[in-house]
């Protein structure tokens, strides 16, 4: 693989692309999780979707928990996508950048695990905070670099 | 138009940019649709927004339907933006890639049509699924390519 | 700094990257604002998060106001990120493009100020509209350019 852009190291771009795709697929999975919860709890959001024995409701705790995790992904992963992308143009160290991309992907996956599958407030909080401050770090680096 | 990036075919980038902009504009339209529904139903989300004869409410079925469609766009189109972008770097066939970008745009538009304008569960479901699995396909291609 | 992409003026890319990072950081701040409101009102969204004296609730006006502002950011800033990025490839005038990027960042910050900190319907509405129509303008330019 040759240089992708003039100013991005191929290894950095490779790490970004790989982990961004992993995170994108992980986000898409949240829709499937929501659908599975809706099916098992027979709770739907549109009248035309309701299956026999089901009802429209917006307060099922299990469905809403998945939806909160999904929204948290939108709040954190979607801004990360552009911040991580632009961070590549600040000339970061290859090892540092690659590992930060990997780190964000791992903690966002563990955030979902500790929010939806095995709810543990402490580990969910740590997962969120590591992803949050890593993204803030990248954002500040971009602001300083392009000032 | 010359090569945009070293590794992207101009025709692929052109198709991505065109259809991504169409989808971006379509998403922005959802805010207008929500505003129109709020105005016609006189239902608002902030006390300071309420017009004479109106009230604050979060359970109007027509307003909430548009907001669900808008959130569904955020859940599906926003991850697609980055996945579709990175997919261009996997060296896809020009015809395949261009048509996948077109396909995602068309089914996301039809998703809104069948959710908000003419609610039909079956067609909305097919629209969502085609967009979802096309994005998953692109995401898996990126993961495999940059492994 | 040399040319970033063959077709983007360095000054345009610099303005985009700087203001996009500012906006990304501003969005991340919304999570902190939500957390502060939850802590001060003792209102939480997950049972496992509740602190002594607190409760689970989804209708606290102050918490929900921040969450609406945050969602409005997702609806407007996230599509702007990709539309602003692609707009750079339409060969815009350097001064125009740089100032549009700055404008969007400023009005999205003032939108949050007039929604959450000093609620003023009129100024919030103007802030939203300026950001919205600037993004629509960029989107239309992309569609025309890559038609």
């Amino acid at each position: 693989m040759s240089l992708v852009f003039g100013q991005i190291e191929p290894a950095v771009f490779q790490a970004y692309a790989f982990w961004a795709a992993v995170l994108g697929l992980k986000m898409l999975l949240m829709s499937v999780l929501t659908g599975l919860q809706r099916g098992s709890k027979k709770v739907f959001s549109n009248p035309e979707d309701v299956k026999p024995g089901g009802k429209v409701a917006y307060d099922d705790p299990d469905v809403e928990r998945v939806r909160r995790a999904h929204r948290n992904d939108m709040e954190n992963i979607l801004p990360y996508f552009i911040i991580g992308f632009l961070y590549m143009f600040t000339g970061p160290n290859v090892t540092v950048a690659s590992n930060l991309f990997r780190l964000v992907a791992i903690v966002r996956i563990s955030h979902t695990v500790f929010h939806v599958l095995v709810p543990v407030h402490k580990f969910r909080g740590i997962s969120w905070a590591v992803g949050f401050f890593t993204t803030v770090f990248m954002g500040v680096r971009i602001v300083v670099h392009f000032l």
Side-chain angles (χ1 to χ4, degrees), chain A:
Chain A
M1 187 180 153
S2 63
L3 272 174
V4 177
F5 308 115
Q7 299 188 310
I8 300 184
E9 286 284 338
V12 170
F13 186 77
Q14 190 177 343
Y16 173 77
F18 177 79
W19 290 109
V22 167
L23 271 183
L25 291 170
K26 174 248 167 293
M27 277 194 73
L28 292 177
L29 253 182
M30 301 307 285
S31 301
V32 177
L33 277 185
T34 305
L36 289 175
Q37 282 289 5
R38 287 202 184 287
S40 86
K41 301 296 286 285
K42 292 179 181 284
V43 161
F44 304 91
S45 59
N46 296 288
E48 71 267 26
D49 306 351
V50 177
K51 290 181 183 146
K55 61 174 178 170
V56 169
Y58 307 106
D59 60 356
D60 181 87
D62 297 323
V63 172
E64 297 306 316
R65 180 177 285 274
V66 181
R67 283 169 50 80
R68 283 197 300 277
H70 200 168
R71 172 162 167 160
N72 195 277
D73 275 357
M74 295 198 285
E75 292 174 352
N76 289 277
I77 296 176
L78 296 174
Y80 160 76
F81 279 151
I82 194 76
I83 288 176
F85 179 75
L86 294 172
Y87 172 65
M88 293 193 288
F89 293 90
T90 64
N93 177 281
V94 175
T95 310
V96 171
S98 305
N99 281 296
L100 290 182
F101 295 146
R102 179 186 290 123
L103 180 66
V104 171
I106 290 170
V107 295
R108 289 308 309 179
I109 293 170
S110 68
H111 180 274
T112 299
V113 169
F114 292 122
H115 199 173
V116 174
L117 305 179
V118 191
V120 181
H121 175 73
K122 190 181 174 184
F123 296 153
R124 189 189 97 216
I126 292 170
S127 300
W128 172 83
V130 171
F132 183 85
F133 287 109
T134 304
T135 311
V136 167
F137 167 78
M138 293 179 181
V140 170
R141 292 276 294 153
I142 299 165
V143 166
V144 170
H145 186 85
F146 288 104
L147 201 62

